[in-house]
C-alpha cells in the first residue's frame, strides 16, 4: 500500500550529497551499544543511497537528552554520596562515536565521525568527503537550538545542517513527532523525502492500523498509567472491534468498576475518565477486556513472594503484578479470529522475570494468529516479543513508541508533514 509522501525512490540521487536523519537513540552502557535494532533498521536506506551512486551521506541523530539526563545522573550520584565525572558520563551515554564505529562494522565500510554537528571544522569535513563516503555527526542535542521552542533558533541550526547536503532524507520515525531542527526545520531548505524505515512505519501504522484495518481489529493497550494512554484509548474506541486493557492501568479501570484492587497502581484522578471510557465502549458495543484474575505481591520487587487471586477483589496490602492464567485464556479468546492487532504496552511488570508470564503469553498468542497483521507499537512491547523469541513472526515492529502512539491517536507528526507529497 503506497504512502502519500515521496521516498528516496522518487528522486534521482546520483552525484547528490545526502543529509539523512536517523534515529540512533540506542541504549548505551559504558560507551557500548546494548541494542542495535534501530541501527539495523536504517541499513536498507543507507545501502540503497550508496547503490544509487550518491556523492556522500551525512548522518545525524540524537542520543538521549544530554542536559536532562545528566542532571538526573548527578542527583542520583549526590544522593548515593558518589563522585560524578561529567566527561566520563557524557562519553558513556551521549556521544555517538561508538555508534559510528558500530555502524562501520554492520556496513563493512568505514564511517567517518565529526566531533560536532555544527561549525567550520565539521563543514570542512563534509566538503572534503570523497565519492561514496559516509560521515556521522556528533549528537544533535548537544546544541540547544535543536530542540529550542524558538523557531528562529531552530531555523539557524537547520540552515547550517542543510548546507551539508542537496537532498534531505528522514528515516527517523522515532523522532517524527518532534518539531526539531534536524527533523522538520531542515526540510524547509532542501527537497525532503522519507527513507524506507519511515515508509514502512507509515504504511503499517497509518494505512493498516488507522485508515484501513482488516477486521476484526483488536487493540491491546498496557503499561503503567491511564494518563499517558487516554488519547490513544479514546481514538481506538472508534476504530477497534475489541479492546484489551492490561498492565498497571487496568487497576484504575477495575477500581472504576467498583472492584477492590488493594494497593495496586491506581491513578485516583483518572477513575472518572476510566468510567467514561467504559461507558462509551458500552454505548458503542465495543467490548473492553480487563483482567479477571491476578498474580499479586505485598511489595514491588523482582523477588517478592506472590500468590494467585482467582476472581474478584484484591485484598488490602496486596498489589497486582501480572495477569493470571484465566485472564491469559480470556485475552487469547479475544484475539481469536483477529485480522489486525495493534499492541502497545506490557500486561504485567514484565521487567521482573517472575511477572513476565502474561506478557510473554500474549506475544506467543500473536505469533500463532493465522493471516493476521500484527503491529507492535514500540516501547516495552518490542522487548516482550524479543524476549518471547517471536519478533520475526510479527508483521511490523515499530521503532517509535511515542511517535506510533501519536499517529494512532490521529495526530499529524511534524516530521512526516514536512516531507514532500507525492
Amino acid at each position: 500500500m503506497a504512502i502519500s509522501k515521496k521516498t528516496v525512490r522518487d528522486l534521482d540521487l546520483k552525484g547528490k550529497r545526502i543529509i539523512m536523519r536517523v534515529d540512533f537513540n540506542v541504549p548505551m552502557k559504558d560507551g557500548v551499544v546494548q541494542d542495535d535494532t534501530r541501527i539495523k533498521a536504517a541499513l536498507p536506506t543507507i545501502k540503497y543511497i550508496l547503490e544509487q551512486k550518491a556523492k556522500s551521506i551525512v548522518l545525524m541523530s540524537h542520543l538521549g537528552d544530554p542536559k536532562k539526563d545528566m542532571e538526573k545522573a548527578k542527583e542520583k550520584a549526590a544522593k548515593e554520596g558518589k563522585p560524578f565525572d561529567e566527561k566520563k558520563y557524557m562519553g558513556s551515554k551521549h556521544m555517538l562515536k561508538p555508534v559510528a564505529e558500530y555502524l562501520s562494522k554492520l556496513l563493512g565500510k568505514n564511517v567517518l565521525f565529526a566531533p560536532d554537528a555544527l561549525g567550520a571544522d565539521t563543514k570542512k569535513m563534509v566538503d572534503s568527503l570523497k565519492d561514496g563516503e559516509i560521515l556521522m555527526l556528533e549528537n544533535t542535542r548537544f546544541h540547544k537550538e535543536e530542540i529550542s521552542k524558538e523557531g528562529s533558533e531552530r531555523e539557524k541550526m537547520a540552515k547550517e545542517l542543510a548546507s551539508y547536503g542537496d537532498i534531505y532524507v528522514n528515516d527517523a520515525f522515532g523522532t517524527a513527532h518532534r518539531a526539531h531542527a534536524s527533523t522538520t526545520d531542515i526540510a524547509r531548505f532542501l527537497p525532503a523525502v522519507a527513507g524506507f524505515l519511515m515508509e514502512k512505519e507509515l504504511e503499517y501504522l497509518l494505512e493498516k492500523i488507522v485508515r484501513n484495518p482488516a477486521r476484526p481489529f483488536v487493540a491491546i493497550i498496557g503499561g503503567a498509567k491511564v494518563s499517558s494512554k487516554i488519547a490513544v484509548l479514546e481514538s481506538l474506541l472508534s476504530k477497534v472491534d475489541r479492546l484489551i486493557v492490561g498492565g498497571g492501568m487496568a487497576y484504575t479501570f477495575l477500581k472504576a468498576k467498583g472492584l477492590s484492587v488493594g494497593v495496586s497502581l491506581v491513578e485516583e484522578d483518572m477513575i472518572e475518565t476510566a468510567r467514561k471510557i467504559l461507558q462509551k465502549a458500552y454505548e458503542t458495543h465495543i467490548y473492553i477486556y480487563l483482567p479477571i484474575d491476578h498474580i499479586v505481591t505485598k511489595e514491588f520487587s523482582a523477588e517478592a513472594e506472590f500468590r494467585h487471586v482467582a476472581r474478584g477483589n484484591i485484598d488490602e496490602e496486596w498489589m497486582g503484578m501480572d495477569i493470571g492464567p484465566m485472564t491469559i485464556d480470556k485475552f487469547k479468546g479475544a484475539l481469536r479470529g483477529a485480522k489486525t492487532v495493534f499492541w502497545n504496552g506490557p500486561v504485567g511488570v514484565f521487567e521482573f522475570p517472575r511477572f513476565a508470564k502474561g506478557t510473554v503469553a500474549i506475544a506467543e498468542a500473536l505469533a500463532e494468529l493465522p493471516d493476521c497483521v500484527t503491529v507492535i507499537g514500540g516501547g516495552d512491547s518490542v522487548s516482550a516479543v524479543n524476549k518471547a523469541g517471536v519478533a520475526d513472526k510479527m508483521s511490523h515492529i515499530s521503532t517509535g513508541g511515542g511517535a506510533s502512539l501519536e499517529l494512532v491517536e490521529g495526530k499529524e507528526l511534524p516530521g512526516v508533514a514536512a516531507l514532500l507529497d507525492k
Side-chain angles (χ1 to χ4, degrees):
M1 193 178 290
I3 64 165
S4 60
K5 294 291 180 179
K6 285 192 176 179
T7 74
V8 281
R9 287 189 205 87
D10 296 309
L11 296 184
D12 180 9
L13 308 179
K14 192 175 180 180
K16 298 288 196 296
R17 300 174 308 144
I18 308 300
I19 173 122
M20 178 173 165
R21 180 57 156 95
V22 288
D23 182 9
F24 288 170
N25 182 31
V26 296
M28 303 285 288
K29 190 177 180 186
D30 302 323
V32 178
V33 174
Q34 300 299 300
D35 183 334
D36 64 3
T37 306
R38 285 177 167 177
I39 303 172
K40 283 180 172 171
L43 293 179
T45 306
I46 294 169
K47 286 176 179 175
Y48 176 82
I49 292 168
L50 293 172
E51 285 162 11
Q52 297 305 303
K53 301 284 188 284
K55 168 83 173 77
S56 58
I57 305 175
V58 175
L59 299 173
M60 52 182 176
S61 177
H62 73 291
L63 181 53
D65 190 333
K67 192 180 173 190
K68 211 180 278 182
D69 294 348
M70 189 170 70
E71 280 168 11
K72 282 182 193 168
K74 263 184 184 172
E75 276 175 31
K76 191 182 175 205
K79 271 182 193 170
E80 293 169 357
K82 291 177 182 173
F84 185 78
D85 186 330
E86 198 171 298
K87 197 174 177 185
K88 190 181 173 190
Y89 170 78
M90 280 296 179
S92 71
K93 289 280 188 186
H94 297 291
M95 289 181 173
L96 278 163
K97 193 173 185 189
V99 179
E101 290 164 359
Y102 196 97
L103 178 63
S104 295
K105 286 176 193 160
L106 290 179
L107 283 171
K109 176 184 176 70
N110 188 36
V111 175
L112 302 165
F113 182 71
D116 197 343
L118 303 174
D121 290 345
T122 300
K123 185 71 168 80
K124 208 176 284 179
M125 286 184 82
V126 172
D127 291 344
S128 63
L129 287 173
K130 296 183 181 72
D131 287 1
E133 284 193 325
I134 303 172
L135 173 71
M136 186 184 287
L137 307 179
E138 182 55 284
N139 192 338
T140 55
R141 289 194 188 172
F142 282 160
H143 293 271
K144 63 179 176 58
E145 296 85 357
E146 162 76 327
I147 62 172
S148 173
K149 287 183 170 62
E150 290 294 325
S152 58
E153 289 188 355
R154 292 197 315 273
E155 186 180 305
K156 189 184 171 197
M157 179 171 175
K159 221 175 226 179
E160 192 168 338
L161 291 171
S163 73
Y164 303 161
D166 305 310
I167 293 169
Y168 168 61
V169 176
N170 191 348
D171 217 16
F173 178 74
T175 56
H177 59 316
R178 308 286 187 208
H180 292 165
S182 69
T183 60
T184 54
D185 295 82
I186 188 172
R188 291 162 54 198
F189 304 106
L190 293 173
V193 295
F196 296 140
L197 173 62
M198 179 74 83
E199 179 185 38
K200 191 182 180 194
E201 295 275 15
L202 295 176
E203 181 192 331
Y204 274 94
L205 289 161
L206 202 53
E207 302 299 337
K208 295 184 179 181
I209 296 295
V210 176
R211 290 178 182 162
N212 195 27
R215 297 192 179 278
F217 174 20
V218 182
I220 310 163
I221 302 296
K225 294 183 173 183
V226 179
S227 54
S228 62
K229 305 270 174 90
I230 292 169
V232 81
L233 285 166
E234 289 176 339
S235 174
L236 284 168
L237 269 186
S238 64
K239 296 180 177 76
V240 299
D241 299 294
R242 302 189 279 275
L243 180 61
I244 295 170
V245 176
M249 65 193 296
Y251 297 103
T252 300
F253 280 91
L254 291 170
K255 191 163 183 180
K257 288 185 82 169
L259 291 164
S260 171
V261 295
V263 289
S264 304
L265 178 66
V266 170
E267 291 178 281
E268 297 290 343
D269 59 340
M270 286 289 131
I271 289 174
E272 191 50 44
T273 301
R275 267 196 207 105
K276 284 175 182 169
I277 290 170
L278 290 166
Q279 182 60 31
K280 188 182 175 189
Y282 174 76
E283 288 166 2
T284 53
H285 309 290
I286 303 297
Y287 194 84
I288 295 185
Y289 291 76
L290 291 164
I292 52 173
D293 67 328
H294 316 272
I295 305 300
V296 300
T297 67
K298 280 192 170 183
E299 58 175 325
F300 188 82
S301 158
E303 303 305 319
E305 290 300 313
F306 62 89
R307 72 181 193 193
H308 176 231
V309 175
R311 276 190 184 273
N313 298 310
I314 297 172
D315 293 340
E316 281 182 36
E317 296 181 16
W318 292 83
M319 67 180 79
M321 297 287 275
D322 195 9
I323 56 174
M326 290 189 291
T327 302
I328 290 172
D329 287 343
K330 184 184 179 185
F331 286 2
K332 280 183 178 177
L335 289 166
R336 209 166 288 127
K339 292 299 173 200
T340 304
V341 177
F342 174 74
W343 182 19
N344 180 281
V347 295
V349 185
F350 147 84
E351 59 268 33
F352 297 159
R354 60 171 57 179
F355 306 116
K357 202 172 178 181
T359 301
V360 169
I362 295 298
E364 290 169 345
L366 291 191
E368 289 165 13
L369 292 175
D371 190 29
C372 179
V373 173
T374 48
V375 178
I376 311 303
D380 290 332
S381 318
V382 177
S383 307
V385 293
N386 285 328
K387 190 170 188 171
V390 295
D392 60 332
K393 292 188 169 68
M394 301 300 133
S395 308
H396 179 61
I397 296 175
S398 180
T399 54
S404 67
L405 280 182
E406 288 200 15
L407 205 56
V408 172
E409 282 166 25
K411 289 182 181 173
E412 185 177 61
L413 307 187
V416 175
L419 302 175
L420 293 172
D421 291 320
K422 277 193 173 171

